[in-house]
Structure formats: C-alpha cells, structure tokens
Amino acid sequence: GNATRDLGIQTIDTKNFRMHCFQTPTGIKFIAATDLLLTDLTDALKSVYRLYCDYALKNPFYNLEMPIRSDMFDTMLLKLVQTS
C-alpha cells in the first residue's frame, strides 16, 4: 500500500542556528546544523545517505557502531557540500 511513515523531527530552530534531521527507513539519522537562512536540507541529507550506503554500508568490514573511515566517502561528501 501507500503507507506513510512518521518522519520525526525534521528541523529545530534555535536563536543562532537551525538543525536539520533526515531519518532513514532503518532509523539512521543524518543531522546538519546550518544558519537560519537554509530552510530545507532534505534532498542534501538524502544525498549524504546515498553516499553512506555506497561507501560505508557496502563495505564488508564496516559495522554500524564504527566511525566512517573511507577516503572516497570523504571526497564525495566534500564534493556534495561544495556543489550544494
């Protein structure tokens, strides 16, 4: 069916910055802090999730509790941030 899922908290505004949150279907959360001018980072955080899947989850030596140690992930993340 076309079931909807609870997306949880998507943004939290403070006096000085905005927190953006994207939660994956498996419960992993991607969080970014920005200035208050950026209103929606959903697409950018989904792109980070795709990078995470490609360069961390597909690595047979990676486990969920580990920090991401991948030069390609770092390179592609930097490229993503610079072009967004």
Side-chain angles (χ1 to χ4, degrees):
N2 191 10
T4 59
R5 64 181 181 93
D6 180 12
L7 298 175
I9 294 172
Q10 293 180 303
T11 59
I12 297 174
D13 290 354
T14 71
K15 181 179 172 185
N16 299 312
F17 64 92
R18 177 172 287 138
M19 296 289 294
H20 304 263
C21 181
F22 169 70
Q23 183 169 326
T24 70
T26 58
I28 297 171
K29 292 182 179 87
F30 289 85
I31 298 173
T34 68
D35 64 33
L36 294 167
L37 299 176
L38 287 173
T39 57
D40 186 13
L41 279 191
T42 303
D43 290 340
L45 291 175
K46 284 181 181 179
S47 294
V48 173
Y49 174 52
R50 282 192 291 279
L51 292 176
Y52 172 74
C53 289
D54 287 344
Y55 297 104
L57 292 183
K58 291 179 183 176
N59 177 349
F61 302 106
Y62 177 75
N63 109 28
L64 291 177
E65 288 76 33
M66 294 172 49
I68 301 168
R69 291 195 171 93
S70 164
D71 291 339
M72 279 305 294
F73 175 81
D74 294 344
T75 299
M76 298 305 287
L77 182 60
L78 184 59
K79 186 184 282 189
L80 174 70
V81 170
Q82 290 173 338
T83 59
S84 293

PDB file of all heavy atoms in Angstrom, residues 5 7-12 18-25 28-32 34 38-51 80 84:
ATOM      1  N   ARG A   5       4.952   7.084   6.713  1.00  0.00           N
ATOM      2  CA  ARG A   5       5.712   6.796   7.922  1.00  0.00           C
ATOM      3  C   ARG A   5       5.998   8.102   8.635  1.00  0.00           C
ATOM      4  O   ARG A   5       6.065   9.167   8.031  1.00  0.00           O
ATOM      5  CB  ARG A   5       6.999   6.036   7.623  1.00  0.00           C
ATOM      6  CG  ARG A   5       8.001   6.798   6.784  1.00  0.00           C
ATOM      7  CD  ARG A   5       9.224   5.933   6.523  1.00  0.00           C
ATOM      8  NE  ARG A   5      10.187   6.666   5.754  1.00  0.00           N
ATOM      9  CZ  ARG A   5      11.176   7.375   6.274  1.00  0.00           C
ATOM     10  NH1 ARG A   5      11.345   7.426   7.572  1.00  0.00           N
ATOM     11  NH2 ARG A   5      12.022   8.026   5.500  1.00  0.00           N
ATOM     12  N   LEU A   7       8.082  10.829   9.975  1.00  0.00           N
ATOM     13  CA  LEU A   7       9.410  11.334   9.633  1.00  0.00           C
ATOM     14  C   LEU A   7      10.145  11.882  10.846  1.00  0.00           C
ATOM     15  O   LEU A   7      11.307  12.220  10.757  1.00  0.00           O
ATOM     16  CB  LEU A   7       9.296  12.414   8.547  1.00  0.00           C
ATOM     17  CG  LEU A   7       8.702  11.942   7.221  1.00  0.00           C
ATOM     18  CD1 LEU A   7       8.525  13.113   6.275  1.00  0.00           C
ATOM     19  CD2 LEU A   7       9.541  10.853   6.593  1.00  0.00           C
ATOM     20  N   GLY A   8       9.458  11.974  11.972  1.00  0.00           N
ATOM     21  CA  GLY A   8      10.096  12.502  13.174  1.00  0.00           C
ATOM     22  C   GLY A   8      10.384  13.985  13.031  1.00  0.00           C
ATOM     23  O   GLY A   8       9.840  14.672  12.178  1.00  0.00           O
ATOM     24  N   ILE A   9      11.280  14.458  13.852  1.00  0.00           N
ATOM     25  CA  ILE A   9      11.665  15.874  13.809  1.00  0.00           C
ATOM     26  C   ILE A   9      12.470  16.121  12.538  1.00  0.00           C
ATOM     27  O   ILE A   9      13.409  15.395  12.249  1.00  0.00           O
ATOM     28  CB  ILE A   9      12.486  16.245  15.054  1.00  0.00           C
ATOM     29  CG1 ILE A   9      11.620  16.132  16.308  1.00  0.00           C
ATOM     30  CG2 ILE A   9      13.076  17.645  14.923  1.00  0.00           C
ATOM     31  CD1 ILE A   9      12.400  16.290  17.602  1.00  0.00           C
ATOM     32  N   GLN A  10      12.094  17.145  11.792  1.00  0.00           N
ATOM     33  CA  GLN A  10      12.825  17.475  10.573  1.00  0.00           C
ATOM     34  C   GLN A  10      13.695  18.710  10.751  1.00  0.00           C
ATOM     35  O   GLN A  10      14.777  18.778  10.172  1.00  0.00           O
ATOM     36  CB  GLN A  10      11.862  17.643   9.408  1.00  0.00           C
ATOM     37  CG  GLN A  10      11.195  16.319   9.047  1.00  0.00           C
ATOM     38  CD  GLN A  10      10.240  16.465   7.906  1.00  0.00           C
ATOM     39  OE1 GLN A  10       9.309  17.263   7.970  1.00  0.00           O
ATOM     40  NE2 GLN A  10      10.455  15.696   6.870  1.00  0.00           N
ATOM     41  N   THR A  11      13.233  19.693  11.514  1.00  0.00           N
ATOM     42  CA  THR A  11      14.059  20.863  11.804  1.00  0.00           C
ATOM     43  C   THR A  11      13.783  21.346  13.230  1.00  0.00           C
ATOM     44  O   THR A  11      12.682  21.177  13.756  1.00  0.00           O
ATOM     45  CB  THR A  11      13.785  22.053  10.849  1.00  0.00           C
ATOM     46  OG1 THR A  11      12.421  22.433  10.950  1.00  0.00           O
ATOM     47  CG2 THR A  11      14.139  21.730   9.415  1.00  0.00           C
ATOM     48  N   ILE A  12      14.815  21.918  13.813  1.00  0.00           N
ATOM     49  CA  ILE A  12      14.699  22.578  15.107  1.00  0.00           C
ATOM     50  C   ILE A  12      15.421  23.915  14.972  1.00  0.00           C
ATOM     51  O   ILE A  12      16.583  23.958  14.566  1.00  0.00           O
ATOM     52  CB  ILE A  12      15.353  21.762  16.239  1.00  0.00           C
ATOM     53  CG1 ILE A  12      14.655  20.417  16.406  1.00  0.00           C
ATOM     54  CG2 ILE A  12      15.336  22.544  17.552  1.00  0.00           C
ATOM     55  CD1 ILE A  12      15.334  19.492  17.399  1.00  0.00           C
ATOM     56  N   ARG A  18      19.907  26.457  12.790  1.00  0.00           N
ATOM     57  CA  ARG A  18      18.811  25.512  12.535  1.00  0.00           C
ATOM     58  C   ARG A  18      19.421  24.115  12.417  1.00  0.00           C
ATOM     59  O   ARG A  18      20.414  23.905  11.727  1.00  0.00           O
ATOM     60  CB  ARG A  18      18.096  25.888  11.237  1.00  0.00           C
ATOM     61  CG  ARG A  18      16.990  24.931  10.837  1.00  0.00           C
ATOM     62  CD  ARG A  18      16.192  25.460   9.651  1.00  0.00           C
ATOM     63  NE  ARG A  18      15.365  26.551  10.138  1.00  0.00           N
ATOM     64  CZ  ARG A  18      15.169  27.711   9.502  1.00  0.00           C
ATOM     65  NH1 ARG A  18      15.738  27.938   8.345  1.00  0.00           N
ATOM     66  NH2 ARG A  18      14.404  28.642  10.018  1.00  0.00           N
ATOM     67  N   MET A  19      18.805  23.153  13.098  1.00  0.00           N
ATOM     68  CA  MET A  19      19.206  21.753  12.990  1.00  0.00           C
ATOM     69  C   MET A  19      18.245  21.070  12.024  1.00  0.00           C
ATOM     70  O   MET A  19      17.024  21.193  12.172  1.00  0.00           O
ATOM     71  CB  MET A  19      19.130  21.046  14.347  1.00  0.00           C
ATOM     72  CG  MET A  19      20.068  21.573  15.396  1.00  0.00           C
ATOM     73  SD  MET A  19      21.785  21.178  15.099  1.00  0.00           S
ATOM     74  CE  MET A  19      21.767  19.422  15.262  1.00  0.00           C
ATOM     75  N   HIS A  20      18.801  20.357  11.060  1.00  0.00           N
ATOM     76  CA  HIS A  20      18.014  19.610  10.084  1.00  0.00           C
ATOM     77  C   HIS A  20      18.241  18.133  10.346  1.00  0.00           C
ATOM     78  O   HIS A  20      19.375  17.705  10.570  1.00  0.00           O
ATOM     79  CB  HIS A  20      18.469  19.923   8.660  1.00  0.00           C
ATOM     80  CG  HIS A  20      18.425  21.376   8.321  1.00  0.00           C
ATOM     81  ND1 HIS A  20      17.367  21.938   7.648  1.00  0.00           N
ATOM     82  CD2 HIS A  20      19.293  22.375   8.565  1.00  0.00           C
ATOM     83  CE1 HIS A  20      17.600  23.223   7.484  1.00  0.00           C
ATOM     84  NE2 HIS A  20      18.765  23.513   8.031  1.00  0.00           N
ATOM     85  N   CYS A  21      17.182  17.336  10.292  1.00  0.00           N
ATOM     86  CA  CYS A  21      17.306  15.902  10.543  1.00  0.00           C
ATOM     87  C   CYS A  21      16.592  15.117   9.442  1.00  0.00           C
ATOM     88  O   CYS A  21      15.471  15.446   9.063  1.00  0.00           O
ATOM     89  CB  CYS A  21      16.707  15.554  11.907  1.00  0.00           C
ATOM     90  SG  CYS A  21      16.830  13.801  12.322  1.00  0.00           S
ATOM     91  N   PHE A  22      17.276  14.096   8.943  1.00  0.00           N
ATOM     92  CA  PHE A  22      16.672  13.164   7.997  1.00  0.00           C
ATOM     93  C   PHE A  22      16.821  11.776   8.599  1.00  0.00           C
ATOM     94  O   PHE A  22      17.934  11.341   8.910  1.00  0.00           O
ATOM     95  CB  PHE A  22      17.360  13.232   6.635  1.00  0.00           C
ATOM     96  CG  PHE A  22      16.967  12.118   5.707  1.00  0.00           C
ATOM     97  CD1 PHE A  22      15.681  12.083   5.178  1.00  0.00           C
ATOM     98  CD2 PHE A  22      17.849  11.113   5.370  1.00  0.00           C
ATOM     99  CE1 PHE A  22      15.299  11.052   4.331  1.00  0.00           C
ATOM    100  CE2 PHE A  22      17.473  10.078   4.526  1.00  0.00           C
ATOM    101  CZ  PHE A  22      16.197  10.053   4.002  1.00  0.00           C
ATOM    102  N   GLN A  23      15.705  11.083   8.797  1.00  0.00           N
ATOM    103  CA  GLN A  23      15.728   9.738   9.351  1.00  0.00           C
ATOM    104  C   GLN A  23      15.428   8.733   8.249  1.00  0.00           C
ATOM    105  O   GLN A  23      14.426   8.852   7.542  1.00  0.00           O
ATOM    106  CB  GLN A  23      14.717   9.589  10.481  1.00  0.00           C
ATOM    107  CG  GLN A  23      14.764   8.224  11.136  1.00  0.00           C
ATOM    108  CD  GLN A  23      13.960   8.167  12.419  1.00  0.00           C
ATOM    109  OE1 GLN A  23      13.879   9.141  13.146  1.00  0.00           O
ATOM    110  NE2 GLN A  23      13.383   7.021  12.684  1.00  0.00           N
ATOM    111  N   THR A  24      16.295   7.738   8.107  1.00  0.00           N
ATOM    112  CA  THR A  24      16.133   6.721   7.074  1.00  0.00           C
ATOM    113  C   THR A  24      15.065   5.716   7.507  1.00  0.00           C
ATOM    114  O   THR A  24      14.708   5.663   8.687  1.00  0.00           O
ATOM    115  CB  THR A  24      17.460   5.978   6.830  1.00  0.00           C
ATOM    116  OG1 THR A  24      17.745   5.165   7.973  1.00  0.00           O
ATOM    117  CG2 THR A  24      18.590   6.939   6.569  1.00  0.00           C
ATOM    118  N   PRO A  25      14.582   4.903   6.577  1.00  0.00           N
ATOM    119  CA  PRO A  25      13.598   3.875   6.953  1.00  0.00           C
ATOM    120  C   PRO A  25      14.120   2.898   8.019  1.00  0.00           C
ATOM    121  O   PRO A  25      13.349   2.310   8.757  1.00  0.00           O
ATOM    122  CB  PRO A  25      13.319   3.148   5.632  1.00  0.00           C
ATOM    123  CG  PRO A  25      13.625   4.157   4.586  1.00  0.00           C
ATOM    124  CD  PRO A  25      14.771   4.970   5.129  1.00  0.00           C
ATOM    125  N   ILE A  28      18.388   5.254  10.912  1.00  0.00           N
ATOM    126  CA  ILE A  28      19.622   6.045  10.979  1.00  0.00           C
ATOM    127  C   ILE A  28      19.259   7.506  10.768  1.00  0.00           C
ATOM    128  O   ILE A  28      18.462   7.839   9.900  1.00  0.00           O
ATOM    129  CB  ILE A  28      20.622   5.568   9.907  1.00  0.00           C
ATOM    130  CG1 ILE A  28      21.030   4.127  10.183  1.00  0.00           C
ATOM    131  CG2 ILE A  28      21.848   6.477   9.870  1.00  0.00           C
ATOM    132  CD1 ILE A  28      21.827   3.497   9.071  1.00  0.00           C
ATOM    133  N   LYS A  29      19.851   8.383  11.586  1.00  0.00           N
ATOM    134  CA  LYS A  29      19.564   9.816  11.482  1.00  0.00           C
ATOM    135  C   LYS A  29      20.785  10.558  10.954  1.00  0.00           C
ATOM    136  O   LYS A  29      21.898  10.330  11.405  1.00  0.00           O
ATOM    137  CB  LYS A  29      19.180  10.375  12.847  1.00  0.00           C
ATOM    138  CG  LYS A  29      17.861   9.858  13.358  1.00  0.00           C
ATOM    139  CD  LYS A  29      17.525  10.488  14.695  1.00  0.00           C
ATOM    140  CE  LYS A  29      16.197  10.007  15.199  1.00  0.00           C
ATOM    141  NZ  LYS A  29      16.289   8.774  15.956  1.00  0.00           N
ATOM    142  N   PHE A  30      20.541  11.438  10.008  1.00  0.00           N
ATOM    143  CA  PHE A  30      21.566  12.337   9.491  1.00  0.00           C
ATOM    144  C   PHE A  30      21.176  13.738   9.925  1.00  0.00           C
ATOM    145  O   PHE A  30      20.055  14.190   9.666  1.00  0.00           O
ATOM    146  CB  PHE A  30      21.658  12.238   7.967  1.00  0.00           C
ATOM    147  CG  PHE A  30      22.246  10.938   7.511  1.00  0.00           C
ATOM    148  CD1 PHE A  30      21.450   9.825   7.359  1.00  0.00           C
ATOM    149  CD2 PHE A  30      23.600  10.830   7.271  1.00  0.00           C
ATOM    150  CE1 PHE A  30      21.983   8.613   6.964  1.00  0.00           C
ATOM    151  CE2 PHE A  30      24.150   9.624   6.878  1.00  0.00           C
ATOM    152  CZ  PHE A  30      23.343   8.513   6.720  1.00  0.00           C
ATOM    153  N   ILE A  31      22.096  14.425  10.588  1.00  0.00           N
ATOM    154  CA  ILE A  31      21.800  15.729  11.174  1.00  0.00           C
ATOM    155  C   ILE A  31      22.820  16.742  10.686  1.00  0.00           C
ATOM    156  O   ILE A  31      24.016  16.445  10.606  1.00  0.00           O
ATOM    157  CB  ILE A  31      21.813  15.640  12.711  1.00  0.00           C
ATOM    158  CG1 ILE A  31      20.726  14.663  13.162  1.00  0.00           C
ATOM    159  CG2 ILE A  31      21.621  17.017  13.345  1.00  0.00           C
ATOM    160  CD1 ILE A  31      20.736  14.349  14.633  1.00  0.00           C
ATOM    161  N   ALA A  32      22.337  17.936  10.355  1.00  0.00           N
ATOM    162  CA  ALA A  32      23.211  19.026   9.931  1.00  0.00           C
ATOM    163  C   ALA A  32      22.776  20.306  10.638  1.00  0.00           C
ATOM    164  O   ALA A  32      21.584  20.544  10.813  1.00  0.00           O
ATOM    165  CB  ALA A  32      23.143  19.210   8.417  1.00  0.00           C
ATOM    166  N   THR A  34      22.894  24.405  10.363  1.00  0.00           N
ATOM    167  CA  THR A  34      23.097  25.464   9.368  1.00  0.00           C
ATOM    168  C   THR A  34      22.690  26.800   9.969  1.00  0.00           C
ATOM    169  O   THR A  34      22.123  26.858  11.062  1.00  0.00           O
ATOM    170  CB  THR A  34      22.241  25.227   8.108  1.00  0.00           C
ATOM    171  OG1 THR A  34      20.849  25.393   8.451  1.00  0.00           O
ATOM    172  CG2 THR A  34      22.476  23.861   7.512  1.00  0.00           C
ATOM    173  N   LEU A  38      18.860  28.708   5.635  1.00  0.00           N
ATOM    174  CA  LEU A  38      18.567  27.461   4.924  1.00  0.00           C
ATOM    175  C   LEU A  38      17.313  26.827   5.510  1.00  0.00           C
ATOM    176  O   LEU A  38      17.265  26.514   6.691  1.00  0.00           O
ATOM    177  CB  LEU A  38      19.744  26.493   5.029  1.00  0.00           C
ATOM    178  CG  LEU A  38      20.959  26.865   4.202  1.00  0.00           C
ATOM    179  CD1 LEU A  38      22.123  25.938   4.510  1.00  0.00           C
ATOM    180  CD2 LEU A  38      20.634  26.823   2.724  1.00  0.00           C
ATOM    181  N   THR A  39      16.316  26.638   4.677  1.00  0.00           N
ATOM    182  CA  THR A  39      15.034  26.154   5.189  1.00  0.00           C
ATOM    183  C   THR A  39      14.828  24.659   5.020  1.00  0.00           C
ATOM    184  O   THR A  39      14.126  24.049   5.805  1.00  0.00           O
ATOM    185  CB  THR A  39      13.866  26.901   4.517  1.00  0.00           C
ATOM    186  OG1 THR A  39      13.963  26.726   3.112  1.00  0.00           O
ATOM    187  CG2 THR A  39      13.891  28.377   4.868  1.00  0.00           C
ATOM    188  N   ASP A  40      15.412  24.043   3.972  1.00  0.00           N
ATOM    189  CA  ASP A  40      15.143  22.632   3.730  1.00  0.00           C
ATOM    190  C   ASP A  40      16.387  21.932   3.189  1.00  0.00           C
ATOM    191  O   ASP A  40      16.845  22.240   2.099  1.00  0.00           O
ATOM    192  CB  ASP A  40      13.994  22.475   2.738  1.00  0.00           C
ATOM    193  CG  ASP A  40      13.572  21.023   2.544  1.00  0.00           C
ATOM    194  OD1 ASP A  40      13.992  20.160   3.344  1.00  0.00           O
ATOM    195  OD2 ASP A  40      12.823  20.757   1.594  1.00  0.00           O
ATOM    196  N   LEU A  41      16.914  21.011   3.970  1.00  0.00           N
ATOM    197  CA  LEU A  41      18.087  20.233   3.560  1.00  0.00           C
ATOM    198  C   LEU A  41      17.736  18.778   3.257  1.00  0.00           C
ATOM    199  O   LEU A  41      18.625  17.948   3.149  1.00  0.00           O
ATOM    200  CB  LEU A  41      19.148  20.250   4.660  1.00  0.00           C
ATOM    201  CG  LEU A  41      20.051  21.452   4.769  1.00  0.00           C
ATOM    202  CD1 LEU A  41      21.200  21.173   5.726  1.00  0.00           C
ATOM    203  CD2 LEU A  41      20.616  21.865   3.434  1.00  0.00           C
ATOM    204  N   THR A  42      16.460  18.476   3.115  1.00  0.00           N
ATOM    205  CA  THR A  42      16.044  17.091   2.929  1.00  0.00           C
ATOM    206  C   THR A  42      16.765  16.428   1.764  1.00  0.00           C
ATOM    207  O   THR A  42      17.313  15.330   1.904  1.00  0.00           O
ATOM    208  CB  THR A  42      14.515  17.002   2.734  1.00  0.00           C
ATOM    209  OG1 THR A  42      13.881  17.589   3.864  1.00  0.00           O
ATOM    210  CG2 THR A  42      14.060  15.558   2.592  1.00  0.00           C
ATOM    211  N   ASP A  43      16.796  17.066   0.596  1.00  0.00           N
ATOM    212  CA  ASP A  43      17.446  16.463  -0.569  1.00  0.00           C
ATOM    213  C   ASP A  43      18.941  16.280  -0.335  1.00  0.00           C
ATOM    214  O   ASP A  43      19.511  15.249  -0.702  1.00  0.00           O
ATOM    215  CB  ASP A  43      17.200  17.295  -1.827  1.00  0.00           C
ATOM    216  CG  ASP A  43      15.750  17.222  -2.299  1.00  0.00           C
ATOM    217  OD1 ASP A  43      15.046  16.259  -1.904  1.00  0.00           O
ATOM    218  OD2 ASP A  43      15.325  18.111  -3.044  1.00  0.00           O
ATOM    219  N   ALA A  44      19.578  17.269   0.273  1.00  0.00           N
ATOM    220  CA  ALA A  44      21.018  17.158   0.550  1.00  0.00           C
ATOM    221  C   ALA A  44      21.295  16.026   1.535  1.00  0.00           C
ATOM    222  O   ALA A  44      22.243  15.244   1.341  1.00  0.00           O
ATOM    223  CB  ALA A  44      21.556  18.481   1.089  1.00  0.00           C
ATOM    224  N   LEU A  45      20.487  15.902   2.580  1.00  0.00           N
ATOM    225  CA  LEU A  45      20.697  14.835   3.551  1.00  0.00           C
ATOM    226  C   LEU A  45      20.395  13.456   2.946  1.00  0.00           C
ATOM    227  O   LEU A  45      21.048  12.468   3.288  1.00  0.00           O
ATOM    228  CB  LEU A  45      19.881  15.085   4.815  1.00  0.00           C
ATOM    229  CG  LEU A  45      20.362  16.277   5.653  1.00  0.00           C
ATOM    230  CD1 LEU A  45      19.422  16.532   6.816  1.00  0.00           C
ATOM    231  CD2 LEU A  45      21.777  16.067   6.151  1.00  0.00           C
ATOM    232  N   LYS A  46      19.444  13.397   2.021  1.00  0.00           N
ATOM    233  CA  LYS A  46      19.200  12.134   1.303  1.00  0.00           C
ATOM    234  C   LYS A  46      20.417  11.767   0.456  1.00  0.00           C
ATOM    235  O   LYS A  46      20.773  10.589   0.345  1.00  0.00           O
ATOM    236  CB  LYS A  46      17.959  12.246   0.417  1.00  0.00           C
ATOM    237  CG  LYS A  46      16.659  12.177   1.184  1.00  0.00           C
ATOM    238  CD  LYS A  46      15.472  12.279   0.232  1.00  0.00           C
ATOM    239  CE  LYS A  46      14.167  12.241   0.992  1.00  0.00           C
ATOM    240  NZ  LYS A  46      13.002  12.369   0.105  1.00  0.00           N
ATOM    241  N   SER A  47      21.062  12.762  -0.118  1.00  0.00           N
ATOM    242  CA  SER A  47      22.278  12.507  -0.897  1.00  0.00           C
ATOM    243  C   SER A  47      23.405  12.006  -0.005  1.00  0.00           C
ATOM    244  O   SER A  47      24.165  11.111  -0.394  1.00  0.00           O
ATOM    245  CB  SER A  47      22.727  13.777  -1.631  1.00  0.00           C
ATOM    246  OG  SER A  47      21.770  14.138  -2.603  1.00  0.00           O
ATOM    247  N   VAL A  48      23.519  12.545   1.203  1.00  0.00           N
ATOM    248  CA  VAL A  48      24.515  12.060   2.159  1.00  0.00           C
ATOM    249  C   VAL A  48      24.208  10.610   2.505  1.00  0.00           C
ATOM    250  O   VAL A  48      25.117   9.766   2.587  1.00  0.00           O
ATOM    251  CB  VAL A  48      24.551  12.939   3.431  1.00  0.00           C
ATOM    252  CG1 VAL A  48      25.457  12.326   4.489  1.00  0.00           C
ATOM    253  CG2 VAL A  48      24.996  14.354   3.098  1.00  0.00           C
ATOM    254  N   TYR A  49      22.938  10.296   2.671  1.00  0.00           N
ATOM    255  CA  TYR A  49      22.534   8.917   2.967  1.00  0.00           C
ATOM    256  C   TYR A  49      22.942   7.977   1.834  1.00  0.00           C
ATOM    257  O   TYR A  49      23.450   6.874   2.073  1.00  0.00           O
ATOM    258  CB  TYR A  49      21.033   8.857   3.224  1.00  0.00           C
ATOM    259  CG  TYR A  49      20.473   7.463   3.413  1.00  0.00           C
ATOM    260  CD1 TYR A  49      21.033   6.581   4.335  1.00  0.00           C
ATOM    261  CD2 TYR A  49      19.384   7.033   2.674  1.00  0.00           C
ATOM    262  CE1 TYR A  49      20.516   5.304   4.508  1.00  0.00           C
ATOM    263  CE2 TYR A  49      18.858   5.767   2.849  1.00  0.00           C
ATOM    264  CZ  TYR A  49      19.432   4.904   3.765  1.00  0.00           C
ATOM    265  OH  TYR A  49      18.922   3.644   3.924  1.00  0.00           O
ATOM    266  N   ARG A  50      22.750   8.407   0.589  1.00  0.00           N
ATOM    267  CA  ARG A  50      23.157   7.574  -0.549  1.00  0.00           C
ATOM    268  C   ARG A  50      24.674   7.328  -0.521  1.00  0.00           C
ATOM    269  O   ARG A  50      25.138   6.212  -0.768  1.00  0.00           O
ATOM    270  CB  ARG A  50      22.719   8.206  -1.868  1.00  0.00           C
ATOM    271  CG  ARG A  50      21.244   8.001  -2.157  1.00  0.00           C
ATOM    272  CD  ARG A  50      20.866   8.378  -3.579  1.00  0.00           C
ATOM    273  NE  ARG A  50      20.941   9.798  -3.851  1.00  0.00           N
ATOM    274  CZ  ARG A  50      19.984  10.673  -3.519  1.00  0.00           C
ATOM    275  NH1 ARG A  50      18.891  10.251  -2.907  1.00  0.00           N
ATOM    276  NH2 ARG A  50      20.127  11.949  -3.782  1.00  0.00           N
ATOM    277  N   LEU A  51      25.442   8.375  -0.206  1.00  0.00           N
ATOM    278  CA  LEU A  51      26.893   8.212  -0.085  1.00  0.00           C
ATOM    279  C   LEU A  51      27.230   7.234   1.038  1.00  0.00           C
ATOM    280  O   LEU A  51      28.115   6.386   0.895  1.00  0.00           O
ATOM    281  CB  LEU A  51      27.572   9.553   0.180  1.00  0.00           C
ATOM    282  CG  LEU A  51      27.543  10.578  -0.941  1.00  0.00           C
ATOM    283  CD1 LEU A  51      28.177  11.889  -0.474  1.00  0.00           C
ATOM    284  CD2 LEU A  51      28.250  10.048  -2.180  1.00  0.00           C
ATOM    285  N   LEU A  80      29.869  16.994  -2.640  1.00  0.00           N
ATOM    286  CA  LEU A  80      28.439  17.257  -2.469  1.00  0.00           C
ATOM    287  C   LEU A  80      28.203  18.597  -1.760  1.00  0.00           C
ATOM    288  O   LEU A  80      27.396  19.413  -2.198  1.00  0.00           O
ATOM    289  CB  LEU A  80      27.777  16.132  -1.690  1.00  0.00           C
ATOM    290  CG  LEU A  80      26.310  16.337  -1.300  1.00  0.00           C
ATOM    291  CD1 LEU A  80      25.421  16.270  -2.532  1.00  0.00           C
ATOM    292  CD2 LEU A  80      25.888  15.302  -0.277  1.00  0.00           C
ATOM    293  N   SER A  84      26.406  22.096  -3.359  1.00  0.00           N
ATOM    294  CA  SER A  84      25.038  22.347  -2.888  1.00  0.00           C
ATOM    295  C   SER A  84      24.839  23.805  -2.554  1.00  0.00           C
ATOM    296  O   SER A  84      25.714  24.538  -2.274  1.00  0.00           O
ATOM    297  CB  SER A  84      24.733  21.503  -1.645  1.00  0.00           C
ATOM    298  OG  SER A  84      24.704  20.139  -1.979  1.00  0.00           O
TER     299      SER A  84
END
